[in-house]
């Protein structure tokens, strides 16, 4: 199960709204959705969490490019919402590079069947698979430092990270109204 919320920073503090991501296909779409939440170009955070499996933070400050942090890229890669956040740039890939070059693969004739036990895990990552995405955190771990969440603290968050972030920001109560 997923939870996604927008936290918009205003003169009066944080305002929260839950958000539906079904129509969001790219990080650019998500950034546009965040900008709509704050007509004054204030800081907007998009917080996404999947059952304590992974969480992501997208920060949009006015018209600047969005900044992204994902707690576990491999887990997020198996999620349609995670795929929105895991851009080529965030993963350190050239745009359009989906992983292994299929022409460079050494084929031994067993590709259609189960891998031999001794060969399991030895081959290259298959294009588009979660194996081509690093395990662990990716992105800007300093994304919330100026708001009170240090890099080390963000990297150590696991269970209920969205609530933990909101608590440090002083936005727990407004977040709970949309949960």
């Amino acid at each position: 199960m997923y939870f996604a919320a927008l936290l918009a920073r205003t003169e009066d503090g944080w305002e929260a709204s839950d958000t539906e991501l079904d129509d969001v296909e790219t990080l650019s779409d998500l950034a546009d959705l965040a900008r709509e939440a704050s007509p004054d170009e204030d800081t907007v955070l998009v917080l996404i969490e999947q059952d304590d499996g992974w969480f992501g933070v997208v920060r949009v400050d006015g018209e600047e490019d969005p900044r992204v942090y994902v707690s576990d890229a491999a887990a997020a890669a198996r999620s349609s919402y995670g795929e929105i956040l895991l851009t080529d740039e965030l993963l350190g890939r050239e745009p359009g590079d989906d992983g292994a070059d299929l022409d460079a693969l050494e084929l031994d004739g067993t590709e259609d069947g189960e891998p031999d036990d001794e060969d399991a895990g030895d081959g290259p990552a298959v294009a588009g698979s979660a194996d081509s995405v690093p395990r662990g955190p990716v992105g800007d771990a300093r994304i919330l430092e100026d708001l009170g969440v240090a890099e080390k603290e963000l990297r150590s968050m696991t269970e209920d990270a969205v609530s933990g972030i909101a608590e440090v920001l002083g936005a727990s109560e407004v977040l709970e109204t949309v949960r």
Side-chain angles (χ1 to χ4, degrees), residues 41-108:
E41 297 189 7
D42 291 319
T43 298
V44 179
L45 303 176
V46 181
L47 305 173
I48 302 171
E49 184 174 56
Q50 181 194 6
D51 287 332
D52 298 328
W54 67 273
F55 70 92
V57 179
V58 178
R59 179 176 178 160
V60 178
D61 293 302
E63 291 300 317
E64 292 182 27
D65 288 339
R67 295 166 53 195
V68 179
Y69 175 80
V70 176
S71 66
D72 186 337
R78 295 185 294 271
S79 153
S80 58
Y81 296 140
E83 288 178 350
I84 294 168
L85 306 180
L86 298 174
T87 62
D88 287 336
E89 181 181 349
L90 187 70
L91 296 173
R93 299 189 298 213
E94 291 294 320
D97 179 11
D98 291 332
D101 179 2
L102 294 180
D103 292 332
L105 294 178
E106 293 180 28
L107 304 178
D108 65 1

Side-chain angles (χ1 to χ4, degrees), residues 128-158:
S129 73
D131 292 337
S132 63
V133 175
R135 297 190 192 300
V138 295
D140 184 357
R142 303 174 93 187
I143 191 170
L144 301 173
E145 275 196 340
D146 65 323
L147 300 174
V149 182
E151 176 180 358
K152 185 177 180 179
E153 185 178 5
L154 186 64
R155 287 183 182 272
S156 69
M157 290 183 174
T158 53

Side-chain angles (χ1 to χ4, degrees), residues 114-139:
E114 293 295 318
D116 295 336
D117 288 340
E118 61 191 46
D119 293 339
D122 290 343
V126 176
S129 73
D131 292 337
S132 63
V133 175
R135 297 190 192 300
V138 295

Side-chain angles (χ1 to χ4, degrees), residues 152-171:
K152 185 177 180 179
E153 185 178 5
L154 186 64
R155 287 183 182 272
S156 69
M157 290 183 174
T158 53
E159 294 183 26
D160 207 16
V162 167
S163 293
I165 291 168
E167 186 174 324
V168 173
L169 299 177

Side-chain angles (χ1 to χ4, degrees), residues 6-54:
L6 295 172
L7 284 178
R9 190 175 194 181
T10 68
E11 291 178 8
D12 300 325
W14 293 97
E15 292 180 7
S17 58
D18 61 343
T19 186
E20 189 62 44
L21 300 179
D22 291 342
D23 295 331
V24 175
E25 295 180 11
T26 66
L27 182 58
S28 179
D29 293 344
L30 188 58
D32 290 343
L33 182 69
R35 287 184 186 103
E36 290 172 11
S38 179
D40 295 330
E41 297 189 7
D42 291 319
T43 298
V44 179
L45 303 176
V46 181
L47 305 173
I48 302 171
E49 184 174 56
Q50 181 194 6
D51 287 332
D52 298 328
W54 67 273

